[in-house]
Amino acid sequence: MDLHQIEYMIAIEQEQSISRAAEKLFITQSALNQQLLKLEKELGLALFERRNRTMIPTFAGRIYLATAHQMVDMKQETYKILHEISKETAGEISVAFSPEQGARMFSSILPEFHRQYPNITFRIQEVHVKKMEQLLLQHETTIAFMSRTEHYWNPDLEYIEMKKEKLVLGLPASHPLAYLAGERSWETLPGIDLRLLRNEQFVLLSKSTRFRSMIDHAFSHAGFHPKVLFESGRTMTAVNIVKGQVAPAFFPQSYAEPNEQIVYFSLIPEETWMLCISYLKGSYLSKPEKYFMDLAIQYMNQGIHK
């Protein structure tokens, strides 16, 4: 099996399109199509079928691609080890993190990393936790900064725990029940019974986020379905709506900070998760990758707002 040919087929599988795969590979659509036809002729089998302009692997194609992915993984692991031997003065780290909290962490630790490894570049994906897990399992990223709960984790992944965090309810400071928060609620996070807010409209994080299932569980425990003003995939949108004295919203504890416009509560019972670094089980991690992970752990230990 030709490794270039294998990478071409994987690109078609991932992009589900000859044209998009060719663009990703920086070759012409005609050249990629010829490679596919040549391989199918050599094998005597169709590897893809075309459905409504979408390339879908056939049964034979799925078998070919399963082995193809293993070969590409072996190549990547071998190259990583060779880079390690050569002290890895150059290379690339593929990393995924959340668009807000994760992006803040990345921008904070990158300067220190860059001083140590100036010739290491990054390929980043700014996505929510559910998508990070897919990227890891599909070998499209190596390291992900994500969360896991006590009840959910993927057995194919390794998790390095960094910091435990609570789900927080932010309430406009002008709300009649804001006094229940007491002083310095961003630190004390007193508990609140959601049933007290049964008649409120809420801003909720979208169903594409892992946190939404925790929010839904909290409402289920409280015994009512919330009135929803709107849903958003961006945590800062929810925070800003609370600041604007419009409606209560839920967000990670790391967003709770001194603010005269918001008071903060934890839930009863508490909803928590663990911030983690995750990667595929059995993966080889290079020295720069380990150093980058160490910097992230230090960042979390110093406080997420640093």
Side-chain angles (χ1 to χ4, degrees):
M1 296 173 82
D2 183 322
L3 270 177
H4 284 299
Q5 203 171 52
I6 285 172
E7 290 168 349
Y8 292 162
M9 298 308 111
I10 289 175
I12 295 173
E13 175 198 23
Q14 290 175 341
E15 299 299 323
Q16 298 185 322
S17 160
I18 292 280
S19 58
R20 290 196 299 271
E23 184 177 347
K24 179 179 180 179
L25 294 164
F26 300 104
I27 62 175
T28 66
Q29 182 175 340
S30 174
L32 182 57
N33 192 53
Q34 287 300 315
Q35 287 289 335
L36 173 59
L37 293 175
K38 176 183 176 183
L39 179 58
E40 289 182 327
K41 182 177 180 181
E42 176 186 326
L43 297 172
L45 292 165
L47 297 179
F48 293 90
E49 58 178 304
R50 294 160 178 80
R51 298 183 196 164
N52 299 323
R53 299 182 180 180
T54 300
M55 301 293 285
I56 306 296
T58 62
F59 178 69
R62 291 197 298 273
I63 293 174
Y64 176 92
L65 288 162
T67 303
H69 279 290
Q70 292 175 11
M71 294 183 69
V72 169
D73 291 345
M74 289 172 63
K75 175 187 173 184
Q76 290 175 344
E77 292 296 301
T78 301
Y79 277 32
K80 274 190 176 184
I81 295 169
L82 293 175
H83 278 307
E84 181 80 8
I85 294 171
S86 65
K87 297 184 180 178
E88 291 188 311
T89 55
E92 179 186 77
I93 295 177
S94 173
V95 60
F97 47 77
S98 64
E100 296 176 47
Q101 182 180 330
R104 182 169 58 187
M105 177 210 66
F106 179 78
S107 60
S108 297
I109 67 178
L110 182 61
E112 180 64 28
F113 178 88
H114 187 66
R115 282 190 284 273
Q116 183 72 19
Y117 291 101
N119 295 319
I120 298 286
T121 61
F122 284 85
R123 178 162 50 91
I124 66 173
Q125 303 256 18
E126 297 181 72
V127 295
H128 292 301
V129 171
K130 290 182 180 179
K131 181 62 176 178
M132 288 185 209
E133 191 171 284
Q134 293 176 18
L135 292 172
L136 286 170
L137 296 174
Q138 293 169 0
H139 305 270
E140 292 184 40
T141 197
T142 305
I143 302 169
F145 293 90
M146 60 197 299
S147 60
R148 56 160 282 188
T149 67
E150 181 182 348
H151 304 293
Y152 177 83
W153 64 90
N154 192 304
D156 294 323
L157 302 180
E158 294 283 2
Y159 297 91
I160 299 175
E161 296 183 349
M162 295 193 294
K163 191 178 186 72
K164 190 175 184 179
E165 195 170 24
K166 295 179 183 179
L167 182 66
V168 166
L169 173 68
L171 197 65
S174 60
H175 193 280
L177 296 179
Y179 74 94
L180 294 174
E183 300 294 326
R184 303 178 69 86
S185 63
W186 66 90
E187 288 181 342
T188 59
L189 298 177
I192 191 170
D193 187 339
L194 274 184
R195 290 175 295 182
L196 295 173
L197 301 169
R198 182 185 295 271
N199 296 320
E200 297 291 326
Q201 284 186 315
F202 290 84
V203 174
L204 299 183
L205 296 177
S206 72
K207 291 183 173 65
S208 66
T209 65
R210 180 71 48 82
F211 298 129
R212 177 55 184 273
S213 60
M214 301 175 73
I215 294 169
D216 290 342
H217 181 263
F219 280 116
S220 175
H221 185 269
F224 70 96
H225 294 288
K227 299 174 184 176
V228 181
L229 181 61
F230 69 87
E231 299 180 357
S232 174
R234 304 283 294 186
T235 304
M236 280 308 302
T237 300
V239 172
N240 287 332
I241 291 300
V242 184
K243 283 183 180 179
Q245 310 302 295
V246 178
F250 299 88
F251 34 83
Q253 179 182 353
S254 53
Y255 288 84
E257 55 187 22
N259 191 304
E260 294 179 355
Q261 299 163 304
I262 304 178
V263 295
Y264 305 93
F265 297 90
S266 58
L267 303 181
I268 303 174
E270 289 184 346
E271 293 283 347
T272 63
W273 61 88
M274 184 66 69
L275 296 175
C276 299
I277 304 172
S278 190
Y279 54 92
L280 273 176
K281 279 189 175 176
S283 294
Y284 172 83
L285 295 175
S286 65
K287 281 186 177 178
E289 286 170 334
K290 290 176 182 175
Y291 181 64
F292 184 74
M293 290 161 60
D294 287 342
L295 289 177
I297 293 170
Q298 291 173 28
Y299 171 84
M300 288 296 175
N301 290 337
Q302 291 167 1
I304 326 181
H305 299 299
K306 297 293 184 185

